[in-house]
């Protein structure tokens, strides 16, 4: 019987990348997640063969861990996110990158994958990791991928670096985009009603306001995302045939993120957001909403991680027969 490819993750979070690995046919070995509340949710849902370590990657003794075939890392992104104005790379970011380098040098995985926001591509942290991979003889590439191109009902752009000892195959061909409405249509009847706030009504297009006032049945489903503070208000729209906007961890502070159909306004819940991240329905989400939003919003779509990992598995298969 052929042994399963093994997978381990750094900055595991809710384990969305790990679920993608499972979907690709891998066996989970271990994970590392500093946030104990996030780690508990992951442990309750996933079966890591060894353990999910609740500590900083900086403090992990990698000499005591089993080496995986595929090592995945999703370091935290606040210093590189567009959502955080005037953010700069910190010494702590570089220390995390050095911990990743340490893990690679000790574990020597057959393949390494890094995922982060697009802004990470110009960081000194990434330069440290790339240099270490180059010195260790990995072939690598990095691309900014739109999750919607891989069947995810969300336009989430992420930097993906793939590194393999040997042949590095192409990623799968782009797919037709999937709509947010298609992803959560069955959930909509159970979503709670949530009237629009006055600031939201003020910035909605006049045509939509007219349709709402008439309660017209011609108004097609519309996903509205927005935020407001003391300085500005903004809102974005996605029609029913389009993917959702990027799901964020701060959903609980973006009270305008709602679903609108035929004059009825309802609030999305954590399960709907999980669908946008292609998180399977069997995954038990925490009842505490802010924790659920944080774990979901910080993750990578499971389907995207599955597709990326499957490309690595093709490399392993090619190397096995060459």
């Amino acid at each position: 019987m052929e042994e399963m490819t093994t997978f381990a993750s750094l900055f595991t979070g809710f384990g969305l990348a790990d679920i993608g690995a499972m979907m690709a046919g891998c066996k989970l070995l271990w994970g590392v997640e500093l946030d104990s509340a996030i780690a508990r949710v992951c442990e309750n849902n996933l079966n890591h063969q060894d353990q999910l370590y609740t500590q900083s990657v900086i403090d992990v003794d990698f000499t005591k861990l089993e080496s995986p075939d595929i090592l995945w890392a999703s370091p935290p992104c606040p210093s590189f996110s567009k959502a955080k104005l005037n953010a700069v790379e910190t010494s702590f970011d570089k220390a995390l990158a050095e911990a990743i380098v340490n893990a690679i040098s000790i574990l020597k995985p057959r393949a390494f994958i890094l995922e982060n926001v697009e802004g990470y591509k110009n960081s000194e942290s990434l330069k440290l990791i790339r240099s270490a991979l180059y010195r260790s003889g990995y072939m690598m590439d990095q691309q900014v991928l739109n999750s919607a191109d891989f069947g995810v009902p969300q336009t989430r752009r992420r930097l993906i670096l793939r590194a393999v000892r040997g042949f590095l195959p192409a990623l799968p061909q782009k797919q037709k985009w999937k709509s947010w409405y298609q992803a959560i249509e069955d959930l909509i009847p159970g979503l709670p009603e949530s009237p629009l706030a006055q600031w939201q009504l003020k910035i909605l297009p006049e045509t939509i306001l007219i349709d709402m006032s008439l309660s017209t049945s011609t108004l097609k489903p519309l996903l509205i995302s927005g935020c407001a503070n003391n300085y500005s208000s903004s809102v974005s729209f996605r029609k029913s045939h389009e993917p959702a906007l990027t799901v964020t961890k701060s959903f609980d502070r973006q009270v305008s993120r709602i679903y609108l159909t035929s004059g009825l306004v309802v609030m999305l819940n954590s399960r709907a957001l999980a669908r946008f991240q292609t998180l399977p329905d069997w995954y038990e989400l925490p009842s505490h909403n802010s924790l659920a939003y944080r774990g979901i919003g910080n993750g990578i779509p499971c389907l995207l991680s599955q597709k990326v990992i499957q490309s690595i598995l093709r490399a392993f298969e090619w190397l096995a027969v060459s």
Side-chain angles (χ1 to χ4, degrees):
M1 180 177 176
E2 185 177 348
E3 291 188 5
M4 296 176 67
T5 300
T6 55
F7 177 93
S9 60
L10 305 176
F11 316 96
T12 303
F14 269 9
L16 275 67
D18 304 62
I19 291 173
M22 292 169 55
M23 293 162 58
C26 297
K27 180 176 73 172
L28 306 185
L29 283 185
W30 48 264
V32 179
E33 172 54 47
L34 176 61
D35 189 312
S36 59
I38 292 288
R40 279 195 297 272
V41 176
C42 183
E43 283 185 303
N44 289 338
N45 282 280
L46 302 183
N47 178 29
H48 287 85
Q49 187 73 14
D50 289 340
Q51 189 174 353
L52 182 60
Y53 298 92
T54 310
Q55 62 187 115
S56 170
V57 297
I58 296 172
D59 301 324
V60 174
D61 183 354
F62 291 105
T63 63
K64 296 182 179 180
L65 300 185
E66 181 179 348
S67 179
D69 294 310
I70 300 174
L71 178 64
W72 180 289
S74 295
C77 64
S79 299
F80 313 99
S81 174
K82 292 180 180 179
K84 189 173 182 180
L85 298 177
N86 302 318
V88 295
E89 188 171 10
T90 66
S91 58
F92 182 65
D93 294 318
K94 295 175 184 176
L96 293 178
E98 289 169 354
I100 293 171
V101 168
N102 184 44
I104 294 169
S105 63
I106 292 173
L107 297 171
K108 297 179 172 58
R110 296 174 65 192
F112 171 76
I113 304 170
L114 181 139
E115 174 264 339
N116 213 299
V117 296
E118 187 172 355
Y120 197 79
K121 67 183 180 182
N122 298 319
S123 68
E124 292 299 317
S125 298
L126 183 59
K127 290 179 182 177
L128 287 171
I129 295 168
R130 286 182 57 92
S131 294
L133 291 168
Y134 178 79
R135 291 194 303 269
S136 298
Y138 287 88
M139 291 186 62
M140 71 184 105
D141 73 351
Q142 67 181 57
Q143 301 179 54
V144 175
L145 305 179
N146 186 337
S147 300
D149 290 332
F150 296 86
V152 176
Q154 178 190 176
T155 52
R156 189 183 194 89
R157 290 172 61 84
R158 284 297 181 268
L159 172 71
I160 300 291
L161 180 148
R162 300 180 302 155
V164 179
R165 294 181 184 276
F167 172 69
L168 186 61
L171 288 163
Q173 291 187 341
K174 294 181 179 181
Q175 299 177 221
K176 181 180 178 180
W177 284 10
K178 182 178 179 180
S179 75
W180 66 264
Y181 182 76
Q182 182 182 355
I184 65 166
E185 182 178 8
D186 61 312
L187 300 179
I188 291 172
L191 296 178
E193 291 190 37
S194 179
L196 289 167
Q198 286 300 312
W199 75 266
Q200 294 168 319
L201 290 170
K202 289 179 181 179
I203 58 179
L204 284 177
E206 185 176 357
T207 53
I208 293 178
L209 291 173
I210 293 173
D211 283 341
M212 290 175 61
S213 66
L214 297 175
S215 298
T216 176
S217 60
T218 61
L219 181 62
K220 293 183 178 181
L222 188 70
L223 188 64
I224 306 176
S225 301
C227 59
N229 52 42
N230 294 330
Y231 307 101
S232 64
S233 299
S234 62
V235 68
S236 299
F237 307 91
R238 286 294 168 92
K239 296 179 181 179
S240 59
H241 66 278
E242 297 175 315
L245 292 158
T246 300
V247 173
T248 71
K249 66 177 182 179
S250 56
F251 176 83
D252 55 334
R253 296 192 296 276
Q254 294 176 321
V255 293
S256 63
R257 190 181 291 264
I258 53 88
Y259 165 81
L260 174 68
T261 179
S262 301
L264 177 68
V265 179
V266 295
M267 175 66 76
L268 295 176
N269 59 15
S270 58
R271 181 56 62 188
L273 297 180
R275 290 276 187 90
F276 293 160
Q277 287 280 55
T278 59
L279 188 62
D281 285 348
W282 55 257
Y283 193 99
E284 186 175 344
L285 297 170
S287 57
H288 195 288
N289 280 336
S290 63
L291 178 60
Y293 300 150
R294 183 152 50 93
I296 294 169
N298 279 337
I300 182 174
C302 302
L303 186 57
L304 177 59
S305 65
Q306 177 190 0
K307 297 294 180 65
V308 172
I309 291 166
Q310 284 175 333
S311 73
I312 299 298
L313 296 180
R314 286 197 297 274
F316 291 171
E317 292 170 359
W318 186 88
L319 291 170
V321 299
S322 62

